[in-house]
Amino acid sequence: MTSTPPSPAQRPLSQRVRIVLPAILAGLSMLGPFSIDTAFPAFAAIQRDFGVGTDGTQQLVSAYLLSFAVMSLFHGPLSDALGRKPVMIGGLAAYGIGSIGCALSPNLLVLLGFRVLQGLAAGGGVIVSRTVIRDVYDGPEAQRLMSRVMMIFSIAPAIAPVIGGLLLQLGPWRVIFWFLTGVSILLIALVAFVLPETHPAELRVPFSPRPLLTGLRTISGSLTFHRVAWAGALAFGAQFLYIGSAAIFVVDLLHRGAQDFWMFFVPMISGVALGAWLSGRLAGRVSGRRLVLGGQLFGVAGAGVNLAIALSPVGATLPYAVIGPGLVAFGSAVAWPTMQLIVLDMFPATRGAAASALTFIPLVLNAVTAGALAPFVTRTVGTLAATCLAMTVGGLAMWMWHLAESRRVAMPEPVTIEGAEPLPD
């Protein structure tokens, strides 16, 4: 992992803030999976109320992700210009309004519209919270905090559908969106009154279109950035393929009910938590590049095991069907904290823009996966597993390309002295 000297923003934090900072940042990151996974148990009820099928409710995932992806390009640059807290608070407030609209929607079209508003707003907390980590910490300490936040964050996809199922016992599906409204209000309070501003005025870029877009253009034009970003996006996409199609995987392929999503999410998220824990433990002991390579290789091996199980007679039965996704998630979680820091350190003056660009690529990939790819590859557990393996192999190939290019660039050019005989190899 490339390390940069501490910036003026890296000021000492009080002991109280140090204790609660991982929980606050994880809470902000958890808003993303909560927005997706809490609603999964309600899909059947929404289909009955609005007279739509599985493809209709699946668009509730892709509409949220696509809008999140589009706006994700702007949350980071805005935080570079305005500061981290204003962007987070504004985004959370708009997210709360979107959640209220979802709860009051009279039909699927209106519900999709407010899901778009949720997606446009959620990145204010999700994306900018990652930048805060690099604002205040450096090197192995930043990696440990990123891993700790990911460990806490990993709980969200496991408990979100469980909470959604419990909320359905208390009332109609709309109560889930009232719950998300309450979550946004709680996060606004924590950011406003506990979280310090980590991007001081003297480090901010001018608030005008040209410098904001220049940062994004510089990042998007970097081939090094794309190699790392796509390596992470494909590895995480293999995991998200199962998350985004959980309603199909659990109900249609495994023949379970609305209260059974935990049987899938608990093993998978356990893999994420264990992988993030290992990443934090190895911070400063193993080089970032080797750590990422190990995680990517493990993910490919796990996807291979997953395909072998899927093609066996027990491929569509529990607990065998969820072993492979858990292994893939473990490998991704080992690599992802370090990959995020590698990208943030590529562009120290515009970390917010870097975080936005890094988020945009997997979001678009995940949105396409959930909305367009999932309906075709979820016909059997075998086709789902084969697609997962292809994505992990793609991620590993991108990382190997990055390593090869890094070694080539770092290798000094040979010095030729006129008239001298070449040295033997």
Side-chain angles (χ1 to χ4, degrees):
M1 182 178 59
T2 304
S3 180
T4 58
S7 72
Q10 292 170 325
R11 298 169 178 173
L13 300 177
S14 68
Q15 185 62 27
R16 179 177 67 93
V17 173
R18 283 178 176 271
I19 293 173
V20 300
L21 184 62
I24 295 175
L25 297 179
L28 291 165
S29 297
M30 289 166 73
L31 193 62
F34 259 100
S35 300
I36 299 171
D37 301 336
T38 310
F40 277 147
F43 277 14
I46 294 173
Q47 291 167 17
R48 288 194 301 270
D49 278 6
F50 294 154
V52 297
T54 301
D55 289 347
T57 48
Q58 195 67 21
Q59 300 313 309
L60 294 175
V61 178
S62 58
Y64 170 84
L65 287 173
L66 281 173
S67 56
F68 192 125
V70 170
M71 192 60 192
S72 71
L73 287 173
F74 302 99
H75 286 301
L78 286 173
S79 76
D80 287 334
L82 302 176
R84 312 303 187 203
K85 289 182 65 170
V87 175
M88 287 190 282
I89 292 173
L92 289 167
Y95 178 89
I97 294 172
S99 299
I100 294 172
C102 288
L104 300 176
S105 295
N107 54 56
L108 182 64
L109 183 62
V110 175
L111 179 57
L112 285 171
F114 280 109
R115 285 289 281 179
V116 168
L117 177 57
Q118 279 188 315
L120 292 173
V126 175
I127 297 169
V128 179
S129 64
R130 300 171 187 172
T131 310
V132 171
I133 294 175
R134 190 57 189 84
D135 283 343
V136 297
Y137 290 111
D138 186 33
E141 194 171 9
Q143 184 180 335
R144 280 190 287 269
L145 180 57
M146 190 76 79
S147 299
R148 197 174 304 129
V149 167
M150 189 171 183
M151 284 179 62
I152 302 172
F153 152 83
S154 67
I155 300 172
I159 65 174
V162 177
I163 291 175
L166 293 174
L167 289 171
L168 288 178
Q169 304 300 311
L170 302 177
W173 59 264
R174 300 174 189 276
V175 74
I176 290 176
F177 293 102
W178 289 117
F179 167 76
L180 293 175
T181 303
V183 170
S184 67
I185 294 172
L186 174 62
L187 291 174
I188 288 173
L190 290 173
V191 172
F193 299 111
V194 181
L195 191 69
E197 175 58 66
T198 62
H199 192 53
E202 62 269 21
L203 295 180
R204 297 174 190 172
V205 300
F207 181 56
S208 61
R210 176 168 292 182
L212 293 177
L213 294 177
T214 297
L216 283 174
R217 187 164 55 247
T218 300
I219 295 165
S220 64
S222 168
L223 187 56
T224 303
F225 162 77
H226 280 286
R227 286 194 294 264
V228 177
W230 280 101
L234 287 166
F236 183 78
Q239 168 188 338
F240 186 84
L241 177 64
Y242 280 87
I243 296 174
S245 58
I248 301 173
F249 180 60
V250 173
V251 177
D252 297 341
L253 297 181
L254 302 185
H255 308 292
R256 296 288 176 169
Q259 306 302 318
D260 297 328
F261 281 85
W262 67 270
M263 297 180 183
F264 160 63
F265 279 104
V266 169
M268 171 169 275
I269 303 310
S270 296
V272 175
L274 289 172
W277 173 83
L278 182 61
S279 177
R281 290 286 295 176
L282 296 179
R285 304 179 185 180
V286 178
S287 72
R289 290 180 179 180
R290 289 184 178 181
L291 192 60
V292 173
L293 179 59
Q296 297 274 42
L297 287 170
F298 191 96
V300 171
V305 170
N306 184 43
L307 180 59
I309 293 175
L311 296 178
S312 73
V314 297
T317 59
L318 293 169
Y320 308 103
V322 297
I323 293 174
L327 296 175
V328 172
F330 176 87
S332 175
V334 169
W336 186 235
T338 302
M339 298 177 85
Q340 292 181 80
L341 292 172
I342 288 173
V343 170
L344 293 177
D345 282 350
M346 288 180 190
F347 311 96
T350 53
R351 288 189 189 121
S356 281
L358 180 63
T359 304
F360 177 77
I361 290 175
L363 278 174
V364 171
L365 178 62
N366 292 344
V368 172
T369 297
L373 185 61
F376 294 99
V377 302
T378 53
R379 301 183 188 280
T380 68
V381 291
T383 55
L384 187 61
T387 308
C388 174
L389 176 60
M391 296 179 79
T392 59
V393 170
L396 175 61
M398 294 299 293
W399 184 250
M400 295 298 292
W401 182 20
H402 173 69
L403 293 181
E405 286 297 308
S406 298
R407 285 192 292 267
R408 186 185 64 81
V409 171
M411 187 178 299
E413 293 292 332
V415 178
T416 303
I417 302 175
E418 187 176 352
E421 293 293 328
L423 294 174
D425 291 336

